[in-house]
Amino acid sequence: MSTSRLLAALLGLGLAAAAFAQSPAPSPAPVPPPAAATPIPDAPQLSARSYVLMDFATGRVLAERDASARVEPASLTKMMTSLIVFEEIDAGRLGLDTPVTISEKAWRTGGSKMFVEVGKQVTVSDLLMGLIVQSGNDATVALAEQVAGSEDAFAQMMNAAAAKLGMTDTHFVNADGLPDPEHYTTARDMALLSHALIAQHPEAYEWYAVREFTFNGITQHNRNSLLWREAGVDGIKTGHTEGAGYCLAASAVRDDMRLIAVVMGAASEKIRAQEALSLLNYGFRFFESHTVYAAGTEVAAPPIWKSELDTLPLGVAEPLVVTIPRGRYQALQASMDLPRQLVAPVAKGARVGSVNLTLGGEPVASAPLVALAEAPEAGFFGRLVDGFWMWWESD
């Protein structure tokens, strides 16, 4: 307890009532006044079997159809293969310059190819480019064998990683996406995988924006035509088999807002690109993202008892971001859930309550409130006086 607070208590100035007054709800961080709110139309109706549009910052799904329906992932599978390879590199178990000897199995794998040669050595870096840009099944199998010893063992790693990401409706049996009855996924799960790839490996993700790659004198172009057609598109992966149809996971950034669109089972390359672009345009046109509270910024400072501090600064440990209909930011409402009485000691970083955001009465986002400073106990006399006033207020 501070000297000023102790003197106020001893003089009977009614500190307790002031201390227990409800802290006002924090206001969202100010932004320039928006234009009139834009009515949100229905999302585009696409011909693809299933699709999903996800906001990257919040994970909020802005549009979807049959997002949990089981479908074949085709070469979108390779996103998981690259994710695991990136993790192996980050862990130091694999290097970009590591030479990989191409097995006969890898060389013989059908479908799209990087055109590696059996028995030759190719660096991990080149194989990753072959996987990402050329969608080479041969490069993909070679990487899987290098990491896990066999493609079957690698598939077990893929399924473990999928479970960790919450991909509850996905099962992999190979690294490249060639058809198999037990190799399946959903549009939702592919969006989760896309999100993880970008969030966990932002530097490696930049490889997905490469438009062409030459190996052994053979130049192949990235099959994601949106890389040429639309500014801001920087990935991710295409896929096609007869059973899967034409698939595309695409991501783009405009005005610091990133969206992920996944289209599964379109009728042609042209249609999958156009429908993914339609989803992205819809999201960027009618929604906006804002960081309401930055990490470590004081959101509230309620009174704290039996402490050397008079008030305890509270904030969020991670940025609190919302994605809402465009033009509605000023209508956000914030409130706090806090204990009626905060009592020392409180460690820095300890969870104290929560801040909640609503729009039009509907929940939008919430986050824990944590102590931004340590609140040590006051001395014996300070604790005694505060104890009296706490009793007086509760009575």
Side-chain angles (χ1 to χ4, degrees):
M1 171 180 283
S2 66
T3 302
S4 61
R5 183 165 165 182
L6 176 58
L7 288 174
L10 293 173
L11 291 173
L13 296 180
L15 176 64
F20 281 99
Q22 182 72 31
S23 297
S27 298
V31 295
T38 303
I40 306 298
D42 293 336
Q45 295 300 303
L46 309 182
S47 62
R49 294 174 193 168
S50 61
Y51 57 83
V52 63
L53 176 66
M54 176 185 287
D55 171 60
F56 175 78
T58 64
R60 177 181 173 184
V61 172
L62 306 180
E64 62 93 12
R65 188 181 73 193
D66 294 333
S68 296
R70 181 178 292 188
V71 293
E72 296 180 39
S75 282
L76 267 61
T77 300
K78 294 182 175 79
M79 292 193 294
M80 177 59 83
T81 303
S82 68
L83 179 73
I84 293 175
V85 173
F86 293 153
E87 290 174 351
E88 292 294 299
I89 293 171
D90 287 350
R93 292 185 289 267
L94 198 63
L96 289 175
D97 295 330
T98 300
V100 177
T101 302
I102 305 303
S103 70
E104 184 170 349
K105 181 180 187 298
W107 174 67
R108 288 188 179 277
T109 302
S112 53
K113 288 182 176 292
M114 178 186 178
F115 298 106
V116 293
E117 298 177 55
V118 65
K120 296 290 183 68
Q121 289 192 325
V122 183
T123 64
V124 168
S125 176
D126 281 348
L127 289 172
L128 275 170
M129 290 295 284
L131 179 157
I132 293 169
V133 181
Q134 300 174 333
S135 198
N137 292 339
D138 48 2
T140 304
V141 172
L143 285 168
E145 292 176 335
Q146 178 69 20
V147 169
S150 71
E151 190 176 11
D152 288 342
F154 189 82
Q156 295 178 39
M157 296 178 65
M158 297 170 74
N159 288 320
K164 187 176 180 180
L165 294 176
M167 298 169 61
T168 55
D169 297 307
T170 292
H171 185 260
F172 297 113
V173 298
N174 58 54
D176 48 35
L178 288 176
D180 186 284
E182 294 303 313
H183 193 88
Y184 55 82
T185 190
T186 66
R188 169 191 169 274
D189 282 0
M190 286 294 103
L192 291 176
L193 176 56
S194 301
H195 186 281
L197 189 62
I198 300 168
Q200 297 177 15
H201 303 282
E203 294 183 0
Y205 171 70
E206 294 177 5
W207 292 29
Y208 275 92
V210 177
R211 297 183 180 185
E212 65 178 38
F213 178 61
T214 301
F215 181 79
N216 262 353
I218 303 172
T219 299
Q220 297 188 65
H221 298 280
N222 196 314
R223 292 168 172 81
N224 183 3
S225 62
L226 293 183
L227 294 174
W228 284 268
R229 292 177 50 187
E230 191 67 22
V233 174
D234 54 12
I236 309 173
K237 192 73 188 72
T238 63
H240 171 253
T241 64
E242 184 176 350
Y246 290 86
C247 307
L248 174 60
S251 185
V253 178
R254 296 181 196 168
D255 298 325
D256 297 323
M257 180 181 182
R258 177 180 288 280
L259 297 177
I260 295 168
V262 176
V263 173
M264 308 297 290
S268 70
E269 290 185 30
K270 182 178 179 179
I271 290 173
R272 76 180 174 191
Q274 186 56 53
E275 295 196 336
L277 183 57
S278 294
L279 287 174
L280 293 171
N281 285 338
Y282 169 77
F284 287 125
R285 173 64 180 87
F286 295 108
F287 295 87
E288 58 186 351
S289 292
H290 293 280
T291 299
V292 182
Y293 301 116
T297 300
E298 183 176 303
V299 173
I304 184 166
W305 293 98
K306 298 186 178 182
S307 174
E308 295 177 0
L309 304 180
D310 291 339
T311 59
L312 180 63
L314 304 178
V316 290
E318 302 291 338
L320 179 55
V321 182
V322 295
T323 298
I324 56 176
R326 190 167 291 279
R328 297 294 307 281
Y329 184 77
Q330 300 294 340
L332 277 177
Q333 298 292 319
S335 62
M336 291 184 297
D337 289 328
L338 294 174
R340 184 175 178 273
Q341 295 178 336
L342 288 177
V343 182
V346 177
K348 183 178 180 179
R351 178 170 179 172
V352 175
S354 63
V355 59
N356 309 297
L357 302 176
T358 59
L359 183 64
E362 296 295 323
V364 173
S366 64
L369 285 172
V370 299
L372 300 180
E374 182 180 1
E377 282 188 323
F380 171 77
F381 191 59
R383 298 198 307 273
L384 182 66
V385 171
D386 270 12
F388 169 76
W389 287 109
M390 291 173 67
W391 168 82
W392 180 274
E393 175 67 18
S394 64
D395 190 55

